[in-house]
Amino acid sequence: MGGLSVQHPWAFTFGLLGNVISFMTYLAPLPTFYRIYKNKSTQGFQSVPYVVALFSAMLWIYYALLKSDEYLLITINSAGCVIETIYIVLYLAYAHKQARIFTAKILLLLNVGVFGLILLLTLLLTAGERRIVMLGWVCVGFSVSVFVAPLSVIRLVVRTRSVEFMPFSLSLSLTASAVVWFLYGLLIKDKYVALPNILGFAFGVIQMGLYALYRNATPRPAPKEVDAPVSDDGAVKPSEHVVNIAKLGPAATAIELNTHYPVDPPPSMKEGAAKENGVACASGEKLDKATHVEQV
C-alpha cells in the first residue's frame, strides 16, 4: 500500500500533511457561507467553484479506488465531497430562483452527466492498468484546467496593481498544498498525482510574486462590471444610483439644494417655469434657486 506502507514513511508524512493543508483549504469559504446564512441571501456569490470542487473530489476518489492503495487520497477527497455538498445545499437554500436553476443545471451536467460518462467509458472501454491510465490522464487534464482558472485573477492584479482579490494566505496555502502533493506523488511514483501539482506550484509562486510586487503599489481603477440586483423571486430590481440632476419650479421643493447662487436658466426653461407659476418672466430675469441637486 503506497500511501500507508512503512516502506514509504516520507510518502505517508507528506500525504498526511497534504490532507491537513487541503482540509484547511476546503474550510476557507466558511466565513462566506456564514454570511450567506446570516443574511439569508447568496449576495451575488457564484456556485460554480463549489460544484467544480465537488466534481474534482469525485474524480480523485474514483481514481484512488481503482488504484486500491491510495487511502490518503480517499480520506481528503471524501472530506471534500462532504464539505462541498454542504456548501452547495446552503447555496441552494438561500439563492434566488434563477441561481438555483443554474446551479441545478451545472450539477446535473457536470457531476451527473460528465462524471457518469467518464465512469461508463472507463468501465466499458478499458480494463486493468489501461483503465487507471485513462482515468489518470482525465484527472490530470481536469486538475490543470482548475489550476489555470486563477489566470483571470492574475490578469486583474496586473491591470489594477491591487492584490485585493488575491489574498496572500490563500496563495500560500495553495502553493504549499501543491508542493506537498507533488512530493507525495513523486515518492509513491504516481505521475498522475505529481504532474498537475507542478503547474499548481508554478501558479502559486507567480501569485505570491505578484503579491510582493503590488502589495504597496498605488492601485489603478479598473472598469467595473456590475450585475443588476436580483430579488429573491428572481426579478431584476431597478438599479439605484446617485445622480446629479437639474429641476426647476415646484417639483424641486422636496429636494435638498446644494448651491445657492443665481444661475441663468435656458430660455425654454424660463418660459416653462413662468407658465407653471403664473408669472411672466423677462428674458433677462435670473432665478434665485440652485439647480444642482442629488437624488437617489
Side-chain angles (χ1 to χ4, degrees), residues 154 157 163 166-179 200-215:
I154 292 174
V157 170
V163 294
M166 192 180 66
F168 180 79
S169 57
L170 182 59
S171 298
L172 180 61
S173 65
L174 292 175
T175 304
S177 177
V179 171
F201 172 74
F203 278 118
V205 170
I206 291 172
Q207 289 183 36
M208 290 192 294
L210 287 174
Y211 186 92
L213 183 63
Y214 292 121
R215 65 191 180 96

Side-chain angles (χ1 to χ4, degrees), residues 117-153:
L117 182 62
I118 292 172
L119 194 66
L120 285 175
L121 290 177
T122 52
L123 290 176
L124 296 178
L125 301 182
T126 59
E129 189 65 26
R130 290 186 60 191
R131 181 179 297 163
I132 294 175
V133 171
M134 180 179 178
L135 183 60
W137 283 115
V138 170
C139 290
V140 169
F142 184 76
S143 297
V144 167
S145 67
V146 170
F147 280 128
V148 170
L151 280 176
S152 58
V153 177

Side-chain angles (χ1 to χ4, degrees), residues 23-296:
F23 184 76
M24 297 303 295
T25 304
Y26 276 128
L27 295 181
L30 272 179
T32 295
F33 281 91
Y34 176 74
R35 201 183 324 160
I36 288 174
Y37 169 75
K38 187 177 179 181
N39 296 320
K40 311 299 181 186
S41 170
T42 55
Q43 300 176 314
F45 290 107
Q46 299 296 315
S47 61
V48 174
Y50 312 106
V51 175
V52 170
L54 176 61
F55 178 72
S56 177
M58 291 167 62
L59 269 183
W60 283 109
I61 287 176
Y62 180 35
Y63 172 79
L65 288 173
L66 288 182
K67 289 277 289 190
S68 75
D69 59 356
E70 300 283 359
Y71 296 105
L72 291 174
L73 283 180
I74 294 175
T75 54
I76 185 56
N77 286 291
S78 297
C81 279
V82 173
I83 294 171
E84 298 300 336
T85 299
I86 293 172
Y87 289 158
I88 293 169
V89 169
L90 282 173
Y91 186 91
L92 290 172
Y94 296 112
H96 58 79
K97 183 178 179 181
Q98 290 179 345
R100 280 199 295 265
I101 293 174
F102 176 76
T103 303
K105 287 180 179 179
I106 295 296
L107 273 170
L108 289 174
L109 176 65
L110 191 63
N111 299 73
V112 177
V114 176
F115 183 77
L117 182 62
I118 292 172
L119 194 66
L120 285 175
L121 290 177
T122 52
L123 290 176
L124 296 178
L125 301 182
T126 59
E129 189 65 26
R130 290 186 60 191
R131 181 179 297 163
I132 294 175
V133 171
M134 180 179 178
L135 183 60
W137 283 115
V138 170
C139 290
V140 169
F142 184 76
S143 297
V144 167
S145 67
V146 170
F147 280 128
V148 170
L151 280 176
S152 58
V153 177
I154 292 174
R155 180 171 174 267
L156 182 63
V157 170
V158 174
R159 287 179 60 197
T160 62
R161 298 173 60 86
S162 170
V163 294
E164 177 185 0
F165 303 103
M166 192 180 66
F168 180 79
S169 57
L170 182 59
S171 298
L172 180 61
S173 65
L174 292 175
T175 304
S177 177
V179 171
V180 168
W181 284 113
F182 168 76
L183 292 173
Y184 173 78
L186 193 66
L187 289 169
I188 65 172
K189 299 179 181 179
D190 190 331
K191 61 184 177 183
Y192 306 113
V193 175
L195 282 176
N197 286 291
I198 296 175
L199 190 62
F201 172 74
F203 278 118
V205 170
I206 291 172
Q207 289 183 36
M208 290 192 294
L210 287 174
Y211 186 92
L213 183 63
Y214 292 121
R215 65 191 180 96
N216 294 322
T218 302
R220 280 198 302 244
K224 294 183 179 180
E225 297 177 0
V226 181
D227 296 332
V230 182
S231 62
D232 291 335
D233 59 359
V236 177
K237 296 180 182 178
S239 301
E240 295 183 352
H241 298 285
V242 176
V243 295
N244 289 325
I245 62 172
K247 280 185 177 286
L248 296 175
T253 55
I255 302 173
E256 180 183 357
L257 302 177
N258 291 335
T259 56
H260 303 282
Y261 50 85
V263 293
D264 286 326
S268 60
M269 297 181 102
K270 282 185 184 179
E271 294 174 4
K275 289 179 182 179
E276 285 183 11
N277 295 314
V279 179
C281 295
S283 60
E285 183 180 0
K286 294 184 178 179
L287 298 181
D288 60 352
K289 289 186 178 180
T291 59
H292 293 285
V293 296
E294 288 184 354
Q295 178 173 304
V296 176

